[in-house]
Amino acid sequence: MSHYPALRLRRSRASAWSRRLHAETVLTPADLIWPVFVTEGEEEEPIAALPGVSRWGLKGIVERAREARDLGIPCLALFPNTPHTLRSEDGREAVNPDNLMCRAIRAIKDAVPEVGVLTDVALDPYTSHGHDGIVDPAGYVLNDETSAVLVEQALVQARAGADIVAPSDMMDGRVGQIRAALEANGHVNVQIMAYAAKYASAFYGPFRDAVGSRGLLKGDKKTYQMDPANAEEALREVALDLAEGADSVMVKPGLPYLDIVSRVKTAFEVPVFAYQVSGEYAMIEAAAAVGAGDREALVLETLMAFKRAGCSGVLSYHAPLAARLLGA
């Protein structure tokens, strides 16, 4: 006589078809946003710190948009590698309507209008000091002065055709100011995805290489990005951004902060996104390169973890690989 109870949980796991039938979480290419880096010129520029990722000129960016469309990836996130000659203390190139970001937006929307374009609203790709805003003589990032520039930056991106503007700077009050400016200027359908809980993380290093900011940063970003020790503060940040008009919110980085994703989703029941950042990507690639794990399995498992935690979608450099695997 069996000593097992009548219910055996392994029964539903015994066959592949049954595992599919009982899956509680579903991951598809439509859950992905693909971050891509834009550069001047037309030569592909491989990024050493991000194996398999490159910077692309405008033609290459359009090709990536077509690739995303064909793979079922609904949206690209653009990040510019601004030439150092155009960087300044005040980041004024950010509000140039013909800057690299705006030209890339127009190129994509002209060629592949059905693919969404998400743009980064922050000054760090444009400042000579590597901070996300305007700094005072002591090196402190000035909140209100920075926010005024961010509003203009969001407007030039919206005029170029951006579908989603994503303030990643962590200044207080900037979401409300951007929303008001978009409404006042007729951009009522431009979404705001607020980097609401962005932590002062050690996982951003390869990204700074990709946008040309490595070595420029004076000091750190701990006076405006969040302390990794804090979770309740993340809920306060999210509440403020939603009250100011954010359509969706983001948690960044990703895997080390899945508890934050889950708490935000439970507390607010709004679209929550996570950014699987450059350091997370680089760790998976490094593990795969030395045989410590299977790349494809690691990619799909980590992306599934985001969905399981409550994400509506994930920004990931592995998006094209994942889309191919999911579409196979």
Side-chain angles (χ1 to χ4, degrees), residues 88-166:
S88 60
E89 287 287 315
D90 59 2
R92 61 183 175 273
E93 179 65 9
V95 301
N96 175 5
D98 200 38
N99 64 22
L100 183 58
M101 175 74 90
C102 291
R103 282 182 279 132
I105 298 166
R106 288 193 291 267
I108 292 172
K109 298 312 288 188
D110 286 346
V112 200
E114 62 269 36
V115 171
V117 173
L118 181 153
T119 55
D120 181 51
V121 178
L123 299 188
D124 53 319
Y126 306 94
T127 56
S128 53
H129 45 69
H131 277 291
D132 293 40
I134 298 169
V135 299
D136 67 11
Y140 184 80
V141 174
L142 299 168
N143 193 93
D144 297 354
E145 291 84 347
T146 295
S147 294
V149 181
L150 298 175
V151 169
E152 292 303 313
Q153 182 184 18
L155 282 176
V156 300
Q157 293 175 355
R159 289 174 186 137
D163 299 294
I164 307 172
V165 294

Side-chain angles (χ1 to χ4, degrees), residues 166-209:
S168 65
D169 55 284
M170 290 298 287
M171 297 300 110
D172 290 329
R174 88 282 200 210
V175 170
Q177 294 173 47
I178 291 171
R179 184 73 268 164
L182 291 172
E183 296 288 322
N185 286 272
H187 301 294
V188 297
N189 285 329
V190 173
Q191 300 175 40
I192 298 176
M193 182 186 293
Y195 285 64
K198 182 178 180 180
Y199 286 84
S201 172
F203 285 89
Y204 301 148
F207 176 91
R208 290 172 183 164
D209 286 340

Side-chain angles (χ1 to χ4, degrees), residues 54-68:
S54 296
R55 304 182 197 93
W56 301 94
L58 296 186
K59 289 182 181 178
I61 285 293
V62 169
E63 290 171 2
R64 302 289 75 70
R66 291 194 177 105
E67 184 180 354

Side-chain angles (χ1 to χ4, degrees), residues 284 287-288 291-299:
I284 290 175
D294 177 84
R295 176 184 283 104
E296 295 180 357
L298 290 169
V299 167

